[in-house]
Amino acid sequence: MNPSFKDLINTIKKSKTKINIADITKAYQFAEKAYHGQKRHSGDPFITHPLHVANTIASWGLDQESIQAALLHDVLEDTPVTHKELAQKFGSKVAFLVNGVTKTGQVKLRNSKDQVFVENLRKMFIAMAKDIRVVLIRLADRYHNMLTLTAVPLEKQKRIALETIEVYAPLAERLGMGKIKGELEDLAFPFVHPKQYKTISQLFKTQIKQTKKHTNQVISQLKKILKKNQLDLQIHGRFKNKYSLYHKLQRSDIDNNINNIHDLVAIRIITKNQLDCYTCLGHVHKTYKPVPYLGVSDFIAQPKPNGYQSIHTKVFDHHGGVVEVQIRSQDMHSQAELGAAAHYAYSQAKKYTKDSIALEKGTAFKSPKKTEWICQLARWQDQVADSKEFKTSLTLDTLSHRIYIFSPKGDVYDLPEGATPVDFAFAVHSDLGLHIQRAKVNQKLVSLSHPLKSGDVVEIEKTKKKRKPNRDWLQFVKSSQAKAKIRKAL
Ligand code: MN
């Protein structure tokens, strides 16, 4: 459903962050005027899109600037509104966020699906974002675009869905945003692998019927017991995402057999605090025997690298089946679902709430410095042992001083900031560096000393014969690689 402006205001009122409704209204009215007459592929007025995005951002508890930027996020790209105008009306921060969202929108999956290429694409995205709120707005934007993907022309659908699975979902995962990651994957799944999606959906349907009945029995019994012991908590069943089921089935220990998957439906218990988690675990094991060897995983004592905290235990129901029970506190739950967004919202709320002690308890993150999130991202990555794709560590330093350049074929090259077409040519191949005739950036001729920007497509037109590099090039090239190769050729 398309949220109305009134719905957005209601969502904002539920959030703990201090937000000036008049300022939100101003951004909404400005956006509505700017988009006036434009329609989505679905036929809906364009304003429905930024409203949906803003509503998602507000539901994540983000600040006023983020919600304003979400309402305005497409104006620079799709309307005559300028950056200057945004800055004058809404302040430089909002303009900066909208500009970031516009820039990251240029990151597109081209021909290659190669792991290194895709990884560079993700890095490029982060480098261009510069502020975590830009990434969060982009994720909310992609979420709505995926919800309305069937309205988009057929030839675009697959590319957008593939980008979602290859670039956006992994970013969400790195940010610890489990909920949006799962939703993005499941929305993209039928477009990327239509056949497998059908098979999985069918399998899911038949299997769920059997599992559901037994799980519900366990839920109602646990409810009684936990209530009797005066534990204040919520308990419900959750279904596994289809795309992650598809992946899990391919694991060697699962051997494509759905009977080997025990968390198709899991029981989730959400407690008030951490100590109650262990009390609950005691009651669960007292009532249902834990499955030997599959064991209990205590991700509270030892959180996962992305900050995920929960206790997982597999127990026998009274029908010989196996049920997974996941126990976590309310704070851990919002952290698991919203990750970095919860972290950001938390740091904002803390600013405004005197009584911050309750908020602080059980939270895996601290110190919300501006650039801290990129360092955090890097640390999370360093700790993910099996993340082969992420060999180069993603530190703030390496990132903020790098730009990402495309060849006309769609390969990505990682160059230092301020790099020129000459740097690019030598990065592609030394031979290309020795055949430079002239250079085009985004199909326009430029000088050889032209400083490149992330996302530029650079084409080098070649001379017929090899030629000596120009000594002046040494004045402006930035990469040590290009410098060395030029010196050698002179
Ligand atoms: Mn958009």
Side-chain angles (χ1 to χ4, degrees):
M1 262 313 283
N2 289 329
S4 64
F5 182 64
K6 215 173 139 198
D7 295 329
L8 172 63
I9 298 300
N10 282 333
T11 311
I12 290 172
K13 283 183 176 156
K14 279 183 222 149
S15 124
K16 287 186 189 121
T17 320
K18 197 180 152 197
I19 286 163
N20 183 338
I21 301 291
D23 287 342
I24 300 292
T25 310
K26 195 175 134 198
Y28 169 71
Q29 284 167 347
F30 183 88
E32 198 185 30
K33 210 173 145 203
Y35 296 126
H36 187 78
Q38 292 194 41
K39 282 200 159 57
R40 297 270 290 166
H41 284 297
S42 60
D44 288 333
F46 194 86
I47 190 72
T48 55
H49 170 63
L51 259 178
H52 195 283
V53 177
N55 193 54
T56 306
I57 287 296
S59 74
W60 291 346
L62 295 187
D63 60 1
Q64 179 172 318
E65 287 163 0
S66 309
I67 300 172
Q68 286 180 300
L71 284 167
L72 298 162
H73 80 269
D74 280 319
V75 295
L76 291 181
E77 201 175 342
D78 299 336
T79 78
V81 173
T82 62
H83 185 273
K84 205 174 148 196
E85 199 177 348
L86 281 184
Q88 277 165 356
K89 288 220 160 69
F90 303 102
S92 58
K93 282 282 173 53
V94 173
F96 165 83
L97 290 177
V98 175
N99 193 36
V101 174
T102 309
K103 277 199 297 186
T104 52
Q106 290 151 4
V107 177
K108 288 204 166 78
L109 202 59
R110 303 192 189 212
N111 307 339
S112 177
K113 270 198 287 160
D114 168 65
Q115 271 305 312
V116 179
F117 168 82
V118 171
E119 191 44 47
N120 276 338
L121 213 57
R122 290 180 204 142
K123 282 196 207 165
M124 172 170 138
F125 186 93
I126 293 166
M128 288 168 93
K130 295 215 167 83
D131 184 313
I132 190 165
R133 292 175 292 176
V134 170
V135 180
L136 298 175
I137 294 169
R138 260 296 162 215
L139 286 174
D141 170 64
R142 182 51 62 121
Y143 176 52
H144 186 238
N145 286 338
M146 290 308 297
L147 285 172
T148 51
L149 194 61
T150 43
V152 166
L154 217 58
E155 69 276 9
K156 272 183 158 184
Q157 286 177 352
K158 193 162 178 183
R159 199 244 319 144
I160 294 172
L162 205 57
E163 259 171 31
T164 303
I165 285 200
E166 298 282 359
V167 182
Y168 289 83
L171 278 176
E173 182 169 31
R174 277 187 205 161
L175 293 169
M177 303 179 70
K179 193 168 178 224
I180 192 85
K181 176 213 165 233
E183 280 171 353
L184 287 174
E185 282 178 346
D186 275 9
L187 287 165
F189 190 15
F191 295 94
V192 177
H193 308 289
K195 261 195 205 149
Q196 289 90 329
Y197 176 77
K198 258 192 195 148
T199 318
I200 292 286
S201 299
Q202 200 49 50
L203 198 62
F204 196 81
K205 231 176 165 176
T206 25
Q207 194 76 11
I208 270 306
K209 263 189 209 151
Q210 303 173 7
T211 331
K212 223 176 163 181
K213 199 174 143 209
H214 293 163
T215 314
N216 282 339
Q217 286 173 356
V218 177
I219 291 180
S220 56
Q221 191 173 7
L222 280 178
K223 249 186 199 158
K224 264 187 233 150
I225 293 166
L226 296 169
K227 209 177 165 191
K228 212 161 75 192
N229 287 279
Q230 290 173 350
L231 282 155
D232 183 6
L233 45 78
Q234 291 162 274
I235 175 165
H236 58 261
R238 80 98 185 88
F239 300 112
K240 194 171 188 62
N241 285 105
K242 285 181 183 154
Y243 189 71
S244 69
L245 173 62
Y246 164 65
H247 259 269
K248 199 165 180 176
L249 279 168
Q250 291 167 12
R251 249 166 54 182
S252 59
D253 56 324
I254 303 294
D255 200 22
N256 231 344
N257 182 351
I258 198 157
N259 293 315
N260 291 335
I261 291 183
H262 302 300
D263 64 345
L264 203 59
V265 186
I267 295 172
R268 203 168 263 167
I269 303 177
I270 298 166
T271 67
K272 279 270 174 241
N273 59 52
Q274 178 167 331
L275 202 60
D276 283 358
C277 294
Y278 292 99
T279 314
C280 272
L281 181 69
H283 288 296
V284 171
H285 282 179
K286 216 172 121 190
T287 321
Y288 300 96
K289 285 233 175 337
V291 179
Y293 309 114
L294 284 178
V296 185
S297 310
D298 185 351
F299 299 118
I300 292 179
Q302 277 154 332
K304 285 190 183 179
N306 65 2
Y308 178 85
Q309 287 188 297
S310 208
I311 299 171
H312 293 188
T313 179
K314 290 186 175 73
V315 298
F316 291 112
D317 61 23
H318 294 323
H319 304 270
V322 174
V323 182
E324 178 165 310
V325 183
Q326 305 176 347
I327 310 166
R328 55 176 77 153
S329 73
Q330 187 58 57
D331 283 353
M332 292 168 195
H333 182 58
S334 54
Q335 198 64 247
E337 303 249 293
L338 294 174
H343 171 50
Y344 191 87
Y346 157 77
S347 67
Q348 291 300 304
K350 206 177 147 195
K351 267 196 209 161
Y352 299 110
T353 322
K354 275 182 203 140
D355 184 24
S356 62
I357 304 141
L359 273 169
E360 195 143 11
K361 263 189 213 158
T363 310
F365 307 95
K366 289 204 172 73
S367 85
K369 278 186 215 130
K370 279 247 164 89
T371 46
E372 173 69 12
W373 73 279
I374 293 187
C375 303
Q376 181 79 59
L377 207 56
R379 274 199 297 277
W380 286 342
Q381 270 318 297
D382 281 348
Q383 290 160 359
V384 180
D386 59 353
S387 162
K388 278 181 231 107
E389 8 125 47
F390 219 83
K391 280 179 215 129
T392 354
S393 79
L394 184 74
T395 65
L396 177 61
D397 240 26
T398 56
L399 260 183
S400 62
H401 300 116
R402 305 301 289 183
I403 55 171
Y404 298 88
I405 302 301
F406 288 108
S407 77
K409 279 191 206 145
D411 296 319
V412 185
Y413 293 86
D414 171 353
L415 295 169
E417 211 166 42
T420 63
V422 175
D423 289 281
F424 170 78
F426 280 102
V428 176
H429 200 279
S430 23
D431 204 46
L432 185 59
L434 300 173
H435 284 89
I436 302 176
Q437 168 93 291
R438 40 186 208 171
K440 280 183 176 172
V441 170
N442 306 328
Q443 298 179 342
K444 278 191 201 118
L445 275 175
V446 296
S447 73
L448 292 181
S449 63
H450 175 86
L452 300 172
K453 294 191 308 295
S454 266
D456 280 348
V457 179
V458 181
E459 186 185 348
I460 300 294
E461 291 184 3
K462 289 174 76 176
T463 50
K464 283 210 180 98
K465 273 193 220 148
K466 202 177 200 169
R467 68 176 225 197
K468 259 194 172 187
N470 190 328
R471 187 169 290 278
D472 295 344
W473 291 356
L474 286 169
Q475 304 295 319
F476 60 72
V477 291
K478 288 285 182 296
S479 63
S480 42
Q481 190 191 19
K483 270 183 199 155
K485 283 178 180 169
I486 292 168
R487 280 205 189 96
K488 201 177 149 205
L490 283 170

